[in-house]
Amino acid sequence: MAIKINDIPPEGLSLELTRKLDLFDTGAASTAFTAVLSIKPMGGGVLHISGRVRSAPALECSRCLASFPCVIDSELNVDLAPVSALGADAEHELGSGELDMEFYKGDEIEPVEIIKEQLLISIPMVPLHSPDCKGLCSVCGTDLNKTECGHQRNAPGDFGAFSALRDLLKK
């Protein structure tokens, strides 16, 4: 759903979007989202986009590999400027006012791409389905949240897979 820049009235444009998108580029639009956006022209081709984005993409827990929905409720505040505002030079040093700005080419913008970017930066770097997730056994791979396997882990002087390196350093 591309929006032509010239079609945005001076008082701005309000959008309510409910769709699915391919958040992780898997080839299937499986992540549903809702967004309420306001697009306001600021002059000189610069647009200010603000609003709220909500979604619950399926993530994989970093400790136990279980799939879980990660609830995202994020504020969106983006300034978009045309690439032509940077000048015609092959290289352009960004000024302090341009560091927080994004750029677009052509005469239209794609709000779904801006929403996708906002969702991606809102995902935690280490997703956990629960803060007290016990993870997987480093010996046999058992999910320790479901059952205890009985293997001794993290014993004093135990370096797990790196124990072979300890022996090499002694020589």
Side-chain angles (χ1 to χ4, degrees), residues 1 3 5 8 12-17 35-42 45-53 74-81 100-104 108-118:
M1 174 197 165
I3 298 174
I5 305 296
I8 301 172
L13 179 69
S14 294
L15 295 173
E16 290 186 34
L17 300 171
V36 177
L37 302 177
S38 173
I39 304 172
K40 184 158 177 74
M42 304 302 285
V46 177
L47 302 171
H48 179 73
I49 301 176
S50 60
R52 181 170 291 285
V53 179
S74 178
E75 291 268 334
L76 178 70
N77 234 345
V78 177
D79 286 328
L80 289 174
D100 293 332
M101 194 170 285
E102 296 198 25
F103 299 92
Y104 66 89
E108 58 186 27
I109 58 169
E110 180 59 64
V112 174
E113 290 300 317
I114 297 166
I115 291 167
K116 179 178 178 178
E117 182 178 296
Q118 184 67 28

Side-chain angles (χ1 to χ4, degrees), residues 55-124:
S55 183
L59 300 181
E60 191 174 82
C61 180
S62 294
R63 292 184 187 158
C64 70
L65 307 178
S67 182
F68 71 99
C70 177
V71 177
I72 296 173
D73 186 357
S74 178
E75 291 268 334
L76 178 70
N77 234 345
V78 177
D79 286 328
L80 289 174
V83 173
S84 61
L86 293 174
D89 296 339
E91 292 186 20
H92 174 78
E93 185 175 338
L94 293 176
S96 61
E98 296 171 329
L99 292 174
D100 293 332
M101 194 170 285
E102 296 198 25
F103 299 92
Y104 66 89
K105 288 183 181 179
D107 61 345
E108 58 186 27
I109 58 169
E110 180 59 64
V112 174
E113 290 300 317
I114 297 166
I115 291 167
K116 179 178 178 178
E117 182 178 296
Q118 184 67 28
L119 290 174
L120 286 171
I121 63 173
S122 298
I123 292 174

